[in-house]
């Protein structure tokens, strides 16, 4: 099977590599084209523009960093829209707000193309091991055609109905995840500052009702101030902002998510936006004031 | 082995029953003595007062509802203190604040008794199945003598040093757990209100980095407005208050825990204090105003 | 002097009436035209569309309810843009986000028109008594031409520089005002629930360092559950949302504004959006839960 | 009239000086006795211990820094309790929690003494100019006897009923004041960071519905990073903590006060506890992280 792949960041690179390694023919594009080299070394072709990838492939997958990038790849000069047409399908796996996803859907379908969104749950490691959870919504026939690719990229895929629902589900999951990271960070800080061994806390947590892979995976690194980015903090904060906006539209008060969002904004203001989102831990440490 | 057991609430009843079923001789006491009947039917003896239990047993375990009850059982007329003496040990497994635990320690040791605190992580079900996590701190020799009982009550026990550290560890764990429950409740509400199926959210969560037994166990019941108490909301709010007080002493800002605490207080003001702490979910639902 | 006036809600009606009473010739338009009748009775002319008002008047003022209305009046069929041209000026006094204001500016100036934004501080009563504070930003020559009107509408006007700055200043002021309303509501509730007379609290506050017209003006009505709308709650929440978005862009964490915003969202979910924003007081009262 | 005066901090010194300057005979005591010198230079007598002051004076006023100090001055060796008796009155004007005030009341009245609490609203400057607002509660006959002193110390005094009510009123006022300071700080920061002149914001605020002496008085100093202590931040945070505890007892959720409290704790953790409470402004500035 042949697919196009737009966007080779942390996630996109791992995903396209998995497709290559499992026998797919993949044509890749990235804004900084040099990032394509490693994939070419593993057998990928290059498209010089998004339009060129669409022209060459029946199905193209995109994995971009934010809503602006997701829109620009479709709408800008040499973008997806210039070549999409009846018989071609476009799958956006970026995490974007529901509104952006709907705009892309309208643009693609107005040219006769098929579209669904398919944001994922899971960051760097699940992307590398093909263990993502895929949240698809939109054109069901295209979804079914894409299942062989999803079988490689993920451990499970959901079809959630109309375009926008995948984006919403992803935002909800990331909102919960972010708030849990704050709760975890506050607990580690309180343990340490009140005379307990935070490593004991990790052990106790791992035996109880709230044991989860995130605490187990990130806890030891956080205690060493290691925030090597799996899911960059600025993206977590963006998702939290979008989830709060979704709550605002639907009159859902979410006081804990709101407090969490401010902590992530604080972390961004400290210059931690490109680190892993677990770096929100730093906002709780004792800091000297500036004046 | 023979032990005394003071306090037969949800937790104490399950724990003392486990001891009985595993061959321990158990002498029980409860403020409302009729609650002892079921245990007597399984072979327990009754002590009419805490003092009588202490008098009869070398080691006595207490599992009481709050700091006031924990203090009163020790200090009041016919209380533990009247009979505790050299050669006798007292283990308080209630969740109390570190200060209360230290007061009890001073009272017991001033009479020559041995003491350690041993609050647990886990509520009704782990108590029934002997899968508690035990957070012991205080007299290490007494701790070692109690290990046969702990092997039945829990799946793992930690010895954390000086009296107060068990209480602190428990508060930290419960604080994290409470904030996670808010994050989970906000996510379920947002999913529902923005057109997603909250049961899909449960499935997606269970496949990802934040999958944990609490979400899996409580989620389906919450979606049916079922808040049958495993861990009463008023106790969760009490623990959150005590954790925030501990943070206050140590200048640890905890904005997410603080927002969470206010949500639990809101729930208490709605009359939900005796339901399971997952009833904080109700605070997010659409309510009519009163005037 | 002759001016056009678009939008006759609570604010616009009071403002255009002041202009009429002070000798201005005013041509008014409102989406529901029947709202013009009272002004016509005082000597105003009617324009059947925004375009007709612009066509007739050299300077037109708009006072609309939200960013969508502000854009629609300019861009829709029969809107401002159809008749604006060199030599004509348009002043938008609505409270909108900076981005909306910039869009309107671009549209007007692209046709050769002059534009500035001039949101106001102050609600119904200051509008009626000509005591608004006017926050102007944009075309300075047009601002100077409008001063005779501003002398009637307000007690003071500021010129704050480039388009967008008036909108931003207004959002900042309203954000502070909203958070103060929460602080005030929490204080009144705490006083009442802990056995004090909340009327005594009003007297004490009015004598101290935080005495202010809002507490003095709204406090007694709030204690009678009277939330007759001077500044509707849904508009306060909108402004708070926009202020938080502005903070997000500039990496400014604002934990108190975020908590306040959630309280206003809670109030909206209780159906209080059209009442005065002081109705956020209701969110603190004891409510029965729904299940 | 002759009065004793215990505690010569910022507040106590200004207050006792006012009494002296208005013809009262004043006997002063302070833990660090050297602080009495300036008052002696203006005609005060010294008592070497609280007991000595009580012995000498019919009515003694105390103004101490916190609940611990307020209790210690009464209960410790050489304290008030050693000399209080029928015919003597004790007035505690410190800001303490209601529980502490009740303890002091019990101690004093058990010896036949009369007592009322009288915390004040207002800090350094109103103390110096005799413009405090006095919140009295307790023994009404003693209150009436103290009116000549209150006429000098304050511009208005309230009698609020039973002991504890003065303390509660004070906590409520300070809670509102602290949250307003956060709202103000967030507004100043947002203005500055989004390209506005924060001095313009001060001018706009001062013309509107939320104009108040605190914003006007502290704003300009805050913009110069000047936090010379009128009301120390650590005391504001203590009052906020006590107000939240009062809300907890009465099931009053106060999400904005809770967020505010965490900001003040953050400020304390930055070493700002002894500066003016307006230094909470510093928590919003851009800081470098520590690791």
């Amino acid at each position: 099977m042949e697919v196009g792949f737009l966007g080779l960041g942390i996630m996109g690179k791992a995903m396209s590599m998995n497709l290559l390694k499992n026998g797919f023919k993949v044509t890749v594009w990235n804004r900084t084209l040099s990032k394509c080299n490693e994939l070419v070394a593993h057998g990928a072709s290059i498209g010089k523009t998004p339009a060129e990838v669409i022209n060459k492939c029946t199905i193209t997958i995109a994995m971009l960093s934010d809503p602006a990038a997701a829109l620009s790849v479709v709408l800008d000069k040499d973008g997806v829209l210039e070549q999409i047409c009846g018989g071609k399908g476009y799958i956006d796996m970026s995490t974007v707000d529901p509104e952006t996803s709907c705009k892309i859907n309208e643009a693609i379908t107005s040219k006769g193309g098929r579209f669904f969104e398919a944001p994922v749950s899971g960051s760097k490691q699940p992307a590398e091991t093909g263990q993502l959870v895929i949240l698809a919504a939109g054109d069901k026939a295209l979804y079914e055609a894409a299942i062989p690719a999803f079988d490689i990229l993920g451990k499970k895929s959901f079809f959630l109905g109309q375009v926008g629902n995948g984006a919403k589900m992803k935002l909800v999951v990331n909102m919960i995840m972010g708030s849990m990271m704050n709760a975890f960070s506050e607990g580690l800080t309180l343990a340490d500052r009140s005379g307990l061994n935070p490593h004991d806390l990790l052990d106790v947590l791992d035996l109880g009702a709230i044991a989860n892979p995130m605490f187990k995976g990130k806890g030891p690194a956080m205690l060493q101030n290691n925030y090597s980015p799996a899911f960059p903090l600025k993206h977590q904060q963006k998702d939290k902002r979008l989830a709060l906006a979704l709550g605002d539209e639907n009159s859902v008060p979410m006081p804990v998510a709101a407090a969490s969002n401010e902590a992530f904004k604080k972390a961004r203001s400290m210059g931690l936006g490109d680190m892993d989102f677990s770096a929100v831990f730093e906002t709780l440490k004792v800091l000297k004031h500036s004046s």
Side-chain angles (χ1 to χ4, degrees), chain A:
Chain A
M1 187 169 168
E2 182 160 7
V3 295
F5 206 104
L6 309 180
L8 300 176
I10 292 170
M11 297 296 287
K13 188 178 147 188
M15 293 161 73
S16 52
M17 192 68 89
N18 273 342
L19 291 172
L20 275 175
K21 288 182 177 166
N22 283 276
F24 278 68
K25 288 187 166 175
V26 186
T27 302
V28 297
W29 169 87
N30 192 65
R31 194 166 297 276
T32 308
L33 275 176
S34 61
K35 286 209 179 168
C36 298
N37 296 346
E38 192 178 340
L39 289 149
V40 170
H42 283 76
S45 308
I46 288 191
K48 282 184 196 142
T49 63
E52 198 176 305
V53 175
I54 297 287
N55 184 44
K56 192 170 164 200
C57 306
T58 308
I59 293 182
T60 299
I61 294 170
M63 190 63 168
L64 301 154
S65 61
D66 58 28
L71 279 169
S72 139
V73 150
V74 172
L75 303 176
D76 283 3
K77 184 167 171 346
D78 298 323
V80 168
L81 216 56
E82 294 187 1
Q83 291 293 335
I84 200 82
C85 58
K88 287 189 182 288
Y90 183 65
I91 303 168
D92 191 348
M93 300 185 76
S94 317
T95 294
V96 301
D97 54 308
E99 195 187 344
T100 297
S101 203
C102 290
K103 267 191 208 164
I104 294 172
N105 182 48
E106 277 165 38
I108 300 290
T109 55
S110 74
K111 296 274 188 159
R114 286 147 68 193
F115 175 76
F116 70 90
E117 62 180 355
V120 301
S121 176
S123 59
K124 191 180 174 189
Q125 205 196 343
E128 288 172 348
T129 55
Q131 294 293 303
L132 295 167
V133 176
I134 297 168
L135 308 171
D139 187 303
K140 190 149 191 191
L142 178 60
Y143 169 71
E144 277 157 11
I147 286 178
F150 286 178
D151 284 348
I152 286 158
L153 298 174
K155 64 181 169 190
K156 170 90 176 170
S157 70
F158 290 83
F159 186 80
L160 300 168
Q162 66 185 17
V163 170
N165 283 358
K168 287 177 189 173
M169 184 62 85
K170 171 72 173 151
L171 290 177
V172 173
V173 170
N174 280 2
M175 179 185 81
I176 298 172
M177 184 169 70
S179 298
M180 278 176 61
M181 180 51 77
N182 293 102
F184 184 49
S185 296
E186 290 181 358
L188 288 171
T189 306
L190 181 58
D192 184 44
R193 219 79 82 70
S194 61
L196 300 172
N197 183 337
H199 292 93
D200 279 349
L201 175 59
L202 295 184
D203 290 343
V204 171
L205 287 172
D206 200 44
L207 285 160
I210 55 174
N212 65 83
M214 181 176 80
F215 288 2
K216 195 182 181 73
K218 292 189 188 283
M222 288 164 69
L223 293 180
Q224 298 181 293
N225 304 323
N226 176 349
Y227 310 111
S228 172
F231 181 39
L233 190 141
K234 65 186 177 190
H235 295 165
Q236 167 62 37
Q237 198 265 319
K238 174 200 65 178
D239 286 2
K240 197 133 244 176
R241 175 174 68 237
L242 295 171
L244 284 164
L246 187 61
D248 201 297
E249 274 170 47
N250 295 288
S251 293
V252 183
M254 302 193 291
V256 166
S260 161
N261 188 41
E262 297 308 310
F264 281 104
K265 281 164 63 182
K266 179 82 185 168
R268 266 180 50 210
S269 82
M270 291 164 69
L272 302 167
D274 292 318
M275 296 193 181
D276 190 65
F277 77 110
S278 53
V280 76
F281 186 36
E282 289 291 316
T283 62
L284 302 171
K285 296 190 177 171
V286 175
L287 297 171
K288 291 280 180 284
H289 68 104
S290 57
S291 65

